[in-house]
Amino acid sequence: MMRSVVLMLALGWVAIAGAQNIDSLMRRAGMVDVGAMDTTIIVRLMYASEDNFVGEDMYGELRKAYLHPEAAEALLKAAEALRRERSDLRLLVKDAARPMSVQRQMYAKVRGTAAAPYVSNPARGGGLHNYGLAVDVTLADMHGCELPMGTPVDHLGPEANIDRERELVERGVITPTERANRELLRRAMRSAGFMPLRSEWWHFNLRSRAVAKSRYKVIE
């Protein structure tokens, strides 16, 4: 019995240390905690659970959403723009800055599968998440409940494409309300300088990959 208790405590300390290590890594890389900068922004990291397309917890006990300061400031502007248009809604961050070490683990799990195109290859420099310049975000009500967007965040398939939404509505794949919610999210994010990703309605980049590689540092 005592041995089991000691093992459980040891595992708990390992989990806490892992979260602290990622926190420290983010801060050393110059990233900032978005949730601490604006408490109206809800943070619920999907890779801190098994509820994601990988099906595994990639972040452990990490619960904070870190971004490059420029991206964080832009997200605060997007949150303010959303509140001006809909004071009853909030931004909900599902993923933000991601260390390259996690990117390698994620890519290894999907390599050779249909999901591989959705994960930036770390051998080619990774993606904008690895610079803290990308954010996965959706809309939520005042209680933190996600608004219907036609697909869940992290859905892999054409139903998540933003350039086919009119067709998706006409075919009954998504509803007019779900399309309007996506458009509202894009208006708020674009007003702050973010660029949407064609294949994922929830993904927004602050900079292009070329600019990121030339001017910013990867989070190792």
Side-chain angles (χ1 to χ4, degrees), residues 135-215:
V135 61
D136 292 339
V137 62
T138 187
L139 299 176
D141 63 20
M142 299 293 284
H143 303 289
C145 298
E146 297 181 29
L147 267 61
M149 308 295 276
T151 75
V153 173
D154 237 13
H155 174 83
L156 308 185
E159 299 83 5
N161 289 11
I162 68 172
D163 59 349
R164 302 180 60 182
E165 289 170 346
R166 181 175 180 178
E167 174 192 344
L168 292 172
V169 171
E170 291 173 349
R171 291 169 47 207
V173 177
I174 68 175
T175 67
T177 297
E178 290 164 344
R179 181 187 182 190
N181 288 341
R182 293 185 184 188
E183 291 173 338
L184 173 60
L185 175 62
R186 285 200 295 272
R187 282 197 301 276
M189 296 297 285
R190 277 176 165 152
S191 73
F194 282 100
M195 300 170 285
L197 188 65
R198 182 194 64 81
S199 59
E200 300 174 0
W201 59 259
W202 57 87
H203 181 105
F204 294 87
N205 297 325
L206 185 67
R207 302 283 183 260
S208 68
R209 191 169 302 200
V211 169
K213 287 183 177 181
S214 65
R215 300 183 187 176

Side-chain angles (χ1 to χ4, degrees), residues 6-216:
V6 171
L7 179 59
M8 290 175 65
L9 288 173
L11 291 174
W13 279 112
V14 168
I16 294 171
Q20 291 175 338
N21 287 340
I22 295 181
D23 277 320
S24 298
L25 173 67
M26 292 293 192
R27 290 194 294 270
R28 288 197 304 271
M31 302 297 114
V32 294
D33 176 6
V34 172
M37 297 172 70
D38 185 343
T39 57
T40 71
I41 296 176
I42 305 168
V43 176
R44 200 149 61 227
L45 301 178
M46 57 187 168
Y47 296 115
S49 72
E50 296 179 357
D51 187 17
N52 55 67
F53 81 97
V54 181
E56 292 188 27
D57 183 341
M58 307 298 294
Y59 289 163
E61 297 299 311
L62 181 69
R63 294 295 180 269
K64 297 176 182 178
Y66 287 95
L67 285 173
H68 187 281
E70 293 175 16
E73 289 294 339
L75 192 65
L76 266 59
K77 292 178 182 178
E80 183 180 358
L82 175 64
R83 290 195 298 271
R84 285 198 301 267
E85 187 168 353
R86 287 287 303 273
S87 61
D88 58 323
L89 299 180
R90 297 290 181 266
L91 292 181
L92 192 165
V93 175
K94 305 287 282 189
D95 196 28
R98 183 189 306 153
M100 189 63 83
S101 58
V102 175
Q103 188 76 17
R104 294 189 186 98
Q105 295 173 32
M106 191 178 294
Y107 188 76
K109 292 182 182 300
V110 301
R111 187 184 315 172
T113 73
Y118 291 89
V119 180
S120 296
N121 189 339
R124 297 175 182 172
L128 276 298
H129 282 293
N130 305 130
Y131 295 86
L133 296 171
V135 61
D136 292 339
V137 62
T138 187
L139 299 176
D141 63 20
M142 299 293 284
H143 303 289
C145 298
E146 297 181 29
L147 267 61
M149 308 295 276
T151 75
V153 173
D154 237 13
H155 174 83
L156 308 185
E159 299 83 5
N161 289 11
I162 68 172
D163 59 349
R164 302 180 60 182
E165 289 170 346
R166 181 175 180 178
E167 174 192 344
L168 292 172
V169 171
E170 291 173 349
R171 291 169 47 207
V173 177
I174 68 175
T175 67
T177 297
E178 290 164 344
R179 181 187 182 190
N181 288 341
R182 293 185 184 188
E183 291 173 338
L184 173 60
L185 175 62
R186 285 200 295 272
R187 282 197 301 276
M189 296 297 285
R190 277 176 165 152
S191 73
F194 282 100
M195 300 170 285
L197 188 65
R198 182 194 64 81
S199 59
E200 300 174 0
W201 59 259
W202 57 87
H203 181 105
F204 294 87
N205 297 325
L206 185 67
R207 302 283 183 260
S208 68
R209 191 169 302 200
V211 169
K213 287 183 177 181
S214 65
R215 300 183 187 176
Y216 300 83

